[in-house]
Amino acid sequence: MANQTIQNRLQTIFEYLHNNPETSWNEVNTTSYIANILKEEGLQPKTFDNMTGLYVDIGKGTPKVGFRTDIDALWQEVDGEFRANHSCGHDGHMTMALGTIFMLKEMESSLPGAVRILFQPAEEKAQGAMAFVKEGIIDSLQFLFGTHVRPLVELQDGNYAPALYHGAAKLFIGKIIGVDAHGARPEQGVNAIEVAASLVDGMKRIWISPTQSASIKMTQITAGGSSTNIIPGNATFSIDARAQNNETMEALTTGFEKVVAAVSTLYGVSIDYKVESHIAAAQVDGEAKAMMKQAIIDVAGEENCAQDVVTPGGEDFHFYTYSKPELQTTMLGLGCGVTPGLHHPKMTFNRERLTTGAEIVTRALMLALQHVERSGKND
């Protein structure tokens, strides 16, 4: 169990992080705060010239095992004021990561290998994992673990799940380029609103297997001005697509591309679009999950080890496996009584579970290190 000094230190760290949130790609002070703590521990954190975030290695040799936390906050209205707000638990995730580092540091001399801890920016924009992949931060890793606090509707307070099966998500943004016309002469123009309506209708005809969970829908459209007698030729739109696995998301994407091509031909207009963000679905590795399950049992007891959590939400963490399929990953589901729910401006949870979460992650990392060491000897 973690000593009282570590527990007290983690409470202080959480208070600072919770009260000083920063949005995606703006986590400048957060990065500096974490880097300074790591330097005080005698570690050498690696930061970037072109972005926020950092990583650090503990132990000797090339790291084969890692843990990733997200560091950004949401931008939302709280008590009538828009501001950065930690309503997704990233303040808790960072606290757990630092707790894991403190625990690993205490046993550094006996570590069978090196561990890499990633403090990733821009999870909420689904861009940070891609940026870290491009920097080569996961190139040497065989195992990578993550964590996320869970709402009460998914996991009871004090229970811990060895895997989180998040779904896939894609956000398309686009523009319809038609022709304005007078309201009395619609035949002289191309009504962008009617084009958008055809897109909506076409998306309803994208057939997905009834055994799979998926949806695709238009969530934003802007067209026309203040004059109601002008038929708008141009419009901008957003499309939100969700699927429980990556294969179904590919089917949705292909279907959307066909709809756009058909509607463009039907109306003789240009419809330009791009993928604004892409969140891959979870690809949980059985070996990594088994390690996490054993870690939960070792730390919290078998009675507090819950079943895997299947959730429709998305997580940028899974892009690591999407980009490197051989990477063995799983995420710890931390049952800490999140209420009223994730992304609620007044979200709260049981902070006492953060220390336990750090202990579970530390144990999982040790199990992975031992596995890598044994595999190396067998080779």
Side-chain angles (χ1 to χ4, degrees), residues 38-196:
L38 298 178
K39 290 174 184 176
E40 290 172 2
E41 291 294 310
L43 297 170
Q44 298 178 323
K46 307 294 184 182
T47 55
F48 308 94
D49 294 331
N50 59 334
M51 65 178 176
T52 49
L54 68 155
Y55 68 97
V56 68
D57 295 340
I58 305 169
K60 297 180 180 179
T62 302
K64 299 291 183 65
V65 176
F67 174 73
R68 169 272 200 183
T69 181
D70 31 26
I71 68 174
D72 55 332
L74 290 158
W75 181 261
Q76 64 184 153
E77 186 176 0
V78 184
D79 295 327
E81 175 189 3
F82 276 93
R83 62 178 178 84
N85 187 43
H86 271 305
S87 58
C88 197
H90 297 189
D91 45 0
H93 303 165
M94 286 184 279
T95 301
M96 288 173 57
L98 288 167
T100 298
I101 288 171
F102 299 154
M103 295 174 197
L104 289 172
K105 196 71 172 62
E106 288 186 344
M107 59 180 84
E108 184 175 12
S109 60
S110 61
L111 291 178
V115 175
R116 177 162 289 178
I117 309 294
L118 289 65
F119 293 87
Q120 180 208 301
E123 189 280 328
E124 296 294 353
K125 286 187 176 293
Q127 298 171 350
M130 183 184 298
F132 268 24
V133 167
K134 289 180 178 178
E135 290 289 337
I137 296 171
I138 65 165
D139 286 357
S140 68
L141 299 183
Q142 179 180 341
F143 288 94
L144 181 63
F145 299 101
T147 188
H148 208 297
V149 299
R150 304 317 302 162
L152 273 171
V153 295
E154 290 184 354
L155 205 56
Q156 290 299 305
D157 186 17
N159 286 354
Y160 308 92
L164 297 177
Y165 286 85
H166 290 95
K170 269 188 183 180
L171 173 63
F172 302 90
I173 59 172
K175 184 174 183 179
I176 299 165
I177 305 173
V179 180
D180 284 8
H182 193 288
R185 301 178 182 86
E187 76 283 358
Q188 295 181 358
V190 179
N191 191 334
I193 295 176
E194 292 178 357
V195 176

